[in-house]
Every structure is written in C-alpha cells, then in structure tokens.
Amino acid sequence: MLTQLNRSTIAVLSGVAASLLAATAAPAAQSGRPVVVYAEPQENIRTERISYADLDLVSATGERTLFRRVGGAVRRVCLFENGRPGLQDGGYYSCADGAWDGARPQIAQAVARAKEIAMTGKSSFAATAITIKVAAN
C-alpha cells in the first residue's frame, strides 16, 4: 500500500516527466518531424489524458474549462481508491491531492504556451495533453 507521500511523489514526478518530454520533443515538433513516444504500460498506475487542443487558454473561459476537465479526470482516476467508491473515503482526498499536484505544473505550462503563441505567434513549449497518473492500490 502506498503512502500519501509516495502518491504525491508519483504525481509530481509524472508532471516533471511530462514537462521534460515536452521540452525534448519541442525541437522535433518545431522542425515538422513527427514525435513518437514509446513506453511500457505501468502496472498499478491509473492514467487519464486530458486534451486542450480545442480550448483558447488565453481566455479565462478556456482556462476554467481546462480546470473542469482536469477535475473530472482526477475524480475518475481517484474515485475507487482502496477499492471503495465514494468521496468520503480519506484515500480519495490523498489521491486527488497528489493528482492535482502533478496536474498544476502541466496546466501552467499549457497556459504559458497559449499566451506565448498569442504574443509572438510561436512557442518554445511543445503541445501536449495534461496527463493524470495515480498509483492504484
């Protein structure tokens, strides 16, 4: 059984890994070459990707919509923490806190990318989706 610290660490490391992936994929994406990422499935990890390709993240409405989408993904991946459904379970809140800790830097990067494109017409950040990952018990 993972402790809250371990779940939080996994969520934060997932966010960092996504940021590093975006940074390393940026040169290939800017050159017009396709970016292909291969990964082995991770056992006991629940994952959900949230696309924001259709959102205008420069607007407050677009940013709120992204937060709602991420909130829904957090609920879906954390709702059955410890094998029991329900928000009253403390395991849900620990899971959700860790998932949000991993999502917030990704959201900030997506918003920064949108603002950079709005100002300059390009961005140094690669387009990605927000990824929520939590350890399954």
Side-chain angles (χ1 to χ4, degrees), residues 5-128:
L5 176 61
N6 287 342
R7 278 190 219 111
S8 296
T9 302
I10 288 170
V12 169
L13 290 176
S14 295
V16 170
S19 296
L20 289 174
L21 177 61
T24 58
Q30 290 174 352
S31 70
R33 296 181 311 207
V35 177
V36 180
V37 178
Y38 297 98
E40 292 295 319
Q42 294 177 309
E43 203 171 302
N44 296 322
I45 301 288
R46 289 189 304 267
T47 303
E48 186 160 337
R49 292 176 52 84
I50 303 96
S51 175
Y52 54 84
D54 62 322
L55 299 178
D56 174 10
L57 295 181
V58 176
S59 74
T61 301
E63 196 170 337
R64 280 193 304 272
T65 300
L66 180 57
F67 270 92
R68 278 195 302 275
R69 288 179 186 178
V70 170
V74 167
R75 282 188 295 282
R76 285 187 294 278
V77 298
C78 292
L79 191 58
F80 289 94
E81 182 69 17
N82 298 321
R84 295 188 310 262
L87 299 178
Q88 294 77 23
D89 186 354
Y92 169 81
Y93 294 106
S94 297
C95 176
D97 287 346
W100 274 107
D101 287 346
R104 282 187 191 98
Q106 296 177 72
I107 293 169
Q109 181 176 336
V111 171
R113 178 181 190 278
K115 290 179 179 178
E116 189 176 35
I117 290 172
M119 289 174 46
T120 66
K122 60 184 179 178
S123 177
S124 58
F125 300 113
T128 62

